[in-house]
Amino acid sequence: MTLREGRIASSAAARFSGVRRNSTRVVLVLPGAHRHPFEAGTVADMVRRAAVLGEVISPTSDVDPWIYTSQAHRLPSLRLSNAEQWIANWGVLPRAPLLSRDAAPGNLLTQHAERYALFDSEDPGQAVKEIAQNLPEGDAPTLVLFFFWALYSQGPALADQLEAASGKNVFWQFLGDPGPDSSVLGDLDALRAEAPHIRNVSLYRGWDSIEETPDYLFYRGVLKPFTRWRKKHATETS
């Protein structure tokens, strides 16, 4: 994806979905419990897509990025203009040197690995709780792009926190690679069936992995359920 192609695709998807400029805040949540998506460039691709979407639908405010393991940590703000530097700092793992004498100090992500308990256990319910508590005030809704990798949530913790945030002006769009042992697909499907009052949650299901999904299809898939919820939410609160 070039940034120009991404802007065109995102703008077209936003127009088709009825999302106006400066009408929505964007939050990006990254999984910190797994090395592979950082090493493979999957996180970098997601950061670029989030930065493009933020530029199109929220040009006057930055994308608000978080990373989570057992707790969630806010990262420096993200704009399309600084996306590549942001990725170099926070969205990739530097290649390990062949020789110890070639070792480099690493980037900001690796320097904060111990502080953030990176590549350790994860608690998506706690992440939802902390992010919901830190959502900005105002009339504009927040679209949370909750990116996951092999997500597993034991017990009712994730569903409980999504229910607690169900009355907020926020839409949780889960997307990523569930992995063979993930519980998230079943959990979110059960949530839809057993708790229909929780309407501000969706699971993105693409035909391919996210990094292989064409830009326009990705942005349409993200914005369509958000727009549907937003219309219903506006009607109920008016």
Side-chain angles (χ1 to χ4, degrees):
M1 177 191 76
T2 68
L3 295 183
R4 182 176 181 275
E5 292 170 340
R7 283 195 196 97
I8 293 172
S10 180
S11 296
R15 286 195 303 271
F16 190 86
S17 303
V19 180
R20 302 185 309 277
R21 288 172 66 84
N22 293 319
S23 63
T24 303
R25 302 183 187 90
V26 178
V27 171
L28 173 63
V29 185
L30 299 173
H34 306 275
R35 302 180 66 91
H36 180 76
F38 290 93
E39 295 173 334
T42 311
V43 166
D45 180 77
M46 188 66 231
V47 170
R48 291 187 186 98
R49 292 183 188 243
V52 167
L53 185 62
E55 178 76 11
V56 169
I57 67 175
S58 185
T60 59
S61 60
D62 296 348
V63 174
D64 187 16
W66 293 69
I67 192 168
Y68 75 96
T69 50
S70 57
Q71 292 184 317
H73 302 273
R74 180 178 257 136
L75 299 178
S77 61
L78 168 67
R79 295 191 69 85
L80 188 57
S81 59
N82 73 348
E84 293 307 319
Q85 184 59 55
W86 196 99
I87 289 169
N89 288 334
W90 297 100
V92 295
L93 284 174
R95 185 182 298 274
L98 180 63
L99 299 174
S100 58
R101 60 181 169 82
D102 296 329
N107 60 1
L108 292 174
L109 179 70
T110 58
Q111 292 172 26
H112 285 76
E114 183 175 353
R115 177 185 176 191
Y116 294 166
L118 297 182
F119 320 125
D120 202 345
S121 61
E122 61 186 349
D123 186 345
Q126 181 66 21
V128 168
K129 178 181 179 180
E130 292 182 38
I131 293 166
Q133 291 174 342
N134 286 274
L135 290 173
E137 300 292 337
D139 297 330
T142 298
L143 171 60
V144 177
L145 303 177
F146 199 108
F147 185 53
F148 59 82
W149 185 268
L151 180 64
Y152 183 79
S153 177
Q154 187 174 8
L158 177 58
D160 285 348
Q161 293 305 325
L162 290 172
E163 181 176 46
S166 62
K168 293 182 176 291
N169 195 14
V170 56
F171 189 81
W172 304 90
Q173 178 65 72
F174 286 83
L175 66 170
D177 187 335
D181 299 320
S182 174
S183 66
V184 68
L185 296 177
D187 286 351
L188 292 178
D189 281 342
L191 189 70
R192 186 178 300 108
E194 298 177 21
H197 61 285
I198 305 176
R199 302 175 183 176
N200 58 335
V201 178
S202 179
L203 175 64
Y204 175 82
R205 299 175 184 268
W207 290 102
D208 300 302
S209 60
I210 288 179
E211 62 269 27
E212 296 176 354
T213 301
D215 296 337
Y216 178 75
L217 294 181
F218 170 79
Y219 291 119
R220 281 284 291 121
V222 167
L223 292 175
K224 186 176 180 180
F226 166 71
T227 304
R228 186 165 53 242
W229 163 80
R230 186 180 179 184
K231 290 178 179 177
K232 292 181 179 179
H233 183 75
T235 301
E236 293 171 354
T237 56
S238 61

